[in-house]
Amino acid sequence: MSQHGHYRTWRTAGLLCLAALVAVGLWSVWHWQYTQAAQEAERHAQNRLALYSSSLRGALERFAYLPGLLAQQTLVQAALTDEVGILATQANGYLSLVAERSGAEAIFLMDAQGITIAASNHADDDSFLGHHYTFRPYFRDAMANGKGEFFAIGSTTGRPGYFVSAAVDNAASTRPQGVLALKISLESLQESWRQAGENVLLSDANGVVILSSRPEWRYRRLAELSSQALREIREQRQFMDEPLEPLGDRLRDGTLSIGHQGIGERYLDMPLELATLGWTMHYLVPVRPLYASARNALLAAAGGTLALLLLALWLRERQKRQRLRERESRIILEANERLEARVEERTRELQEAQAELVQAGKLAALGTMAAGIAHELNQPLSGIRTYAANGERLLSRDRTQAAEENFRRIQDLCERLGTLIRQLKLFARKGGAREPVNLTARLDFVLELLEERIQRQGVTLHVALPAHSSPDAIRVAGDEVRIEQLLTNLLRNALDALRGVETPCLEIVLEDETQRWVITVADNGPGIDEATLAQLFDPFYTTKAVGDGLGLGLFISYGIVQDLGGRITAGNREAGGAWFRVELPKAEGDPRHAR
Ligand code: ADP
């Protein structure tokens, strides 16, 4: 597989892992929140159950002692044995008074056959008087064990209630004479549950709901009833003709679904077993809000995860762009470097080419020079040869005076050759020392040498030095001999040009130009014509008569100025005459070395 393929596989695997992680994380959040909410609901349920159960217990216990106490009353006991029935009438009044004071729904007295002989509700239409209740456990239990309790729907009134009973004993007999029973209504308790808006219910030992905050849940069963239980319920007429439908379905997770065909609401069943008659109090917590809170937490977590994912994507995108930018700038940098390298290479090639050109130029110059030297040497030499031969001939004819003249000419020509060789020697002396040289001192020296000629030609000389520099400070880097040579060449040429001029004038100006000293030599001679300007600094270029100039002066001067890192230029003045301008770098060294 290619590297790209590998990368893609890894990336897909990574994404799958991430998705799985996110799913597990979200599920954990959901589960955690659900558990938290359920625990919270359970805590709440337990608190409420404790409250409700204690209020129920209080309601029942308030009456627990009363049947036993009433059974002890002589009137009650006597009423059972009174054949005439006068006492029973008295007992009716007594019982209704007690019922009224105690808050019991009804108090009634049954004889040993279970027939009610006195009742607190004797005056009501649905009075218990004359009814017999042998089928009720509270009667049977009291007869058998001395006391009993039971919850049932009243067979006479149709109103549900809690019955507690006690046997009425007689000292003469071991068998109880009758049973005194008390019916307590729990409707107000149930009403208070309903008003609290909570789902509370009370089931009996068989799992039949006997009290409920929701009236429609009453007399429904929470579990299957055994046939025996069903038979007993029927026999005891506990719930009269109520069908005892199931309240809902117990789901596998323990929740209770109440409603029809699966569209019912689900509840968590929090039970609390009570001491009374095997009763159980149930607090039902609707599951939907728990799911809703879990779902909200899930949504929040999903939102958070999504935001994080988006942030991560954004960061990745930014990083990608950053990397792209870096790559681009790297490419540009590399391109620049390559370009620079090429420029350097080209420059080197150019320099090499230039060096070759210079070399070629040098060779060409050498050729020109050799030709010039040959020419310059040849003329005086042939002159010397002629004068020597003439001299010889004149001597042989004894014309000594004329011969002397010839020897003098030979001396002149030798002098001329000597000058030429001196010039060439100077030219050969290239690249001398570089030390601070006082320009004004050198100028003075050269002017001194030329003093005699200046005088002879009647030249007016103007020398101008920079206003703010002392003459001592005007120093250039070079060596004395070459600077003198340079100045001599320029001044000699000017004096040559001033020959035959009516009012010859020579002007020397020294100027300060930050890095350089500038010396300008100007004359009011004939000036330089165009053609000469173009070749002024070429070797052996001269306009002077043979024997007057070698055409090397400016060439050598040019070389000297170049060598010292300066510049030489020439031109014509507007008023007539030529100017030569030489720029020379200032000396940087210790001024004490300057001479
Ligand atoms: P040379 O002086 O031997 O001729 P240079 O190289 O010194 O050689 O001068 C070259 C030529 O430049 C001169 O022949 C002359 O024509 C011209 N030249 C130099 N200086 C001046 C000047 N001050 N005025 C007019 N022409 C000049």
Side-chain angles (χ1 to χ4, degrees):
M1 202 184 285
S2 70
Q3 198 157 354
H4 188 65
H6 266 306
Y7 171 71
R8 279 187 55 178
T9 316
W10 276 111
R11 212 177 64 162
T12 316
L15 281 177
L16 281 176
C17 275
L18 187 71
L21 260 176
V22 167
V24 167
L26 289 181
W27 181 84
S28 306
V29 167
W30 186 92
H31 185 73
W32 182 82
Q33 180 59 33
Y34 180 82
T35 315
Q36 287 293 311
Q39 278 172 359
E40 176 61 37
E42 195 176 326
R43 266 196 300 280
H44 177 73
Q46 268 154 10
N47 282 340
R48 303 303 287 170
L49 281 173
L51 186 75
Y52 290 137
S53 65
S54 80
S55 68
L56 175 69
R57 199 167 48 245
L60 299 182
E61 276 174 1
R62 198 147 64 87
F63 299 99
Y65 69 96
L66 201 52
L69 189 71
L70 290 174
Q72 304 284 314
Q73 299 299 310
T74 356
L75 177 62
V76 171
Q77 288 178 354
L80 282 173
T81 48
D82 175 32
E83 301 285 315
V84 188
I86 299 171
L87 290 178
T89 317
Q90 275 184 23
N92 275 341
Y94 177 64
L95 290 181
S96 75
L97 182 76
V98 173
E100 197 187 309
R101 295 269 169 88
S102 67
E105 187 183 310
I107 306 174
F108 53 106
L109 181 66
M110 289 158 285
D111 63 12
Q113 282 73 48
I115 298 168
T116 310
I117 58 154
S120 60
N121 56 6
H122 58 92
D124 298 348
D125 291 343
D126 49 3
S127 164
F128 295 170
L129 279 181
H131 290 272
H132 66 99
Y133 297 109
T134 37
F135 56 90
R136 295 292 209 192
Y138 58 82
F139 174 78
R140 289 197 213 149
D141 290 348
M143 286 300 283
N145 306 318
K147 58 182 183 172
E149 53 182 345
F150 193 55
F151 181 92
I153 298 178
S155 60
T156 317
T157 58
R159 286 199 298 277
Y162 171 70
F163 296 84
V164 321
S165 61
V168 183
D169 292 321
N170 191 315
S173 157
T174 48
R175 200 171 178 279
Q177 296 269 296
V179 171
L180 186 111
L182 204 120
K183 182 181 178 185
I184 303 153
S185 168
L186 296 175
E187 300 307 299
S188 60
L189 198 69
Q190 183 179 259
E191 180 59 19
S192 74
W193 294 356
R194 199 183 62 74
Q195 275 171 4
E198 283 171 328
N199 302 308
V200 195
L201 45 90
L202 184 68
S203 67
D204 70 3
N206 289 321
V208 177
V209 177
I210 52 177
L211 286 180
S212 166
S213 62
R214 305 263 286 259
E216 68 272 23
W217 291 352
R218 215 168 178 190
Y219 309 126
R220 302 280 204 88
R221 56 184 161 82
L222 287 169
E224 285 302 318
L225 290 171
S226 67
S227 54
Q228 193 202 340
L230 205 60
R231 202 173 54 243
E232 278 178 5
I233 287 169
R234 295 283 169 244
E235 277 173 8
Q236 296 160 3
R237 297 166 66 187
Q238 190 178 4
F239 300 110
M240 302 300 286
D241 298 324
E242 289 291 339
L244 305 183
E245 300 273 351
L247 179 62
D249 301 318
R250 260 291 157 210
L251 302 184
R252 208 170 303 158
D253 59 359
T255 56
L256 194 65
S257 168
I258 302 177
H260 297 289
Q261 275 119 34
I263 47 164
E265 192 159 359
R266 281 171 63 200
Y267 296 90
L268 287 180
D269 183 7
M270 313 274 183
L272 177 70
E273 284 182 12
L274 305 179
T276 318
L277 289 168
W279 289 356
T280 308
M281 194 171 260
H282 299 263
Y283 191 90
L284 299 188
V285 180
V287 172
R288 200 179 299 167
L290 303 183
Y291 278 129
S293 107
R295 186 198 57 215
N296 289 346
L298 179 78
L299 284 178
T305 311
L306 193 71
L308 274 179
L309 275 176
L310 284 178
L311 184 73
L313 275 178
W314 179 74
L315 282 176
R316 221 178 80 122
E317 198 56 33
R318 212 177 70 142
Q319 205 185 28
K320 247 190 198 168
R321 254 182 288 146
Q322 177 82 16
R323 265 198 228 125
L324 205 71
R325 265 206 299 277
E326 275 169 14
R327 233 182 66 191
E328 272 172 7
S329 58
R330 210 168 44 237
I331 288 172
I332 290 174
L333 200 77
E334 278 170 11
N336 269 349
E337 277 170 4
R338 268 204 304 277
L339 209 67
E340 241 163 63
R342 270 181 66 182
V343 166
E344 263 170 33
E345 198 183 323
R346 282 288 153 85
T347 312
R348 210 174 39 248
E349 282 172 13
L350 271 175
Q351 277 168 349
E352 279 170 16
Q354 201 182 25
E356 274 169 27
L357 271 177
V358 168
Q359 192 64 22
K362 275 183 188 165
L363 287 176
L366 200 64
T368 320
M369 196 170 162
I373 292 168
H375 176 75
E376 288 300 322
L377 287 180
N378 210 26
Q379 271 191 335
L381 272 180
S382 55
I384 287 170
R385 206 186 303 124
T386 313
Y387 289 130
N390 277 352
E392 192 184 21
R393 216 171 25 247
L394 288 171
L395 274 182
S396 67
R397 290 184 202 158
D398 277 337
R399 288 178 59 188
T400 2
Q401 215 162 351
E404 264 173 25
E405 174 64 16
N406 272 15
F407 287 129
R408 204 184 44 76
R409 288 218 172 123
I410 289 173
Q411 271 178 22
D412 281 352
L413 288 172
C414 284
E415 183 62 32
R416 198 165 130 71
L417 285 175
T419 310
L420 173 65
I421 285 161
R422 233 186 359 265
Q423 296 261 40
L424 288 174
K425 262 167 78 182
L426 257 173
F427 180 67
R429 218 188 96 154
K430 254 197 152 182
R434 282 248 195 132
E435 49 194 17
V437 175
N438 190 331
L439 200 56
T440 46
R442 292 310 101 206
L443 183 65
D444 288 348
F445 177 74
V446 173
L447 284 173
E448 217 175 278
L449 285 185
L450 296 172
E451 172 76 28
E452 191 265 339
R453 209 183 141 183
I454 293 169
Q455 293 284 343
R456 189 160 27 96
Q457 281 187 229
V459 174
T460 322
L461 178 70
H462 291 289
V463 179
L465 300 182
H468 303 294
S469 313
S470 82
D472 262 359
I474 305 174
R475 292 195 188 87
V476 294
D479 66 314
E480 285 180 13
V481 182
R482 287 197 293 166
I483 301 272
E484 280 166 13
Q485 178 68 38
L486 169 72
L487 293 173
T488 311
N489 285 348
L490 294 180
L491 291 176
R492 274 226 172 96
N493 277 347
L495 289 174
D496 284 350
L498 287 173
R499 240 183 253 156
V501 173
E502 221 168 289
T503 46
C505 192
L506 181 60
E507 220 175 79
I508 302 165
V509 182
L510 258 169
E511 287 165 305
D512 183 353
E513 246 185 33
T514 47
Q515 301 281 315
R516 301 167 163 221
W517 291 115
V518 180
I519 180 162
T520 313
V521 177
D523 59 63
N524 61 346
I528 313 163
D529 60 46
E530 283 293 313
T532 309
L533 263 180
Q535 310 174 66
L536 207 56
F537 300 105
D538 287 356
F540 301 109
Y541 179 81
T542 181
T543 54
K544 292 168 192 170
V546 176
D548 241 6
L550 285 172
L552 282 177
L554 286 181
F555 174 64
I556 289 167
S557 300
Y558 185 86
I560 291 170
V561 172
Q562 285 289 313
D563 222 27
L564 298 181
R567 211 156 78 100
I568 180 166
T569 45
N572 286 310
R573 304 162 82 193
E574 272 181 26
W579 58 260
F580 282 83
R581 178 186 157 95
V582 178
E583 298 167 27
L584 291 171
K586 285 183 178 175
E588 285 165 0
D590 188 345
R592 277 173 301 173
H593 293 311
R595 276 180 279 170

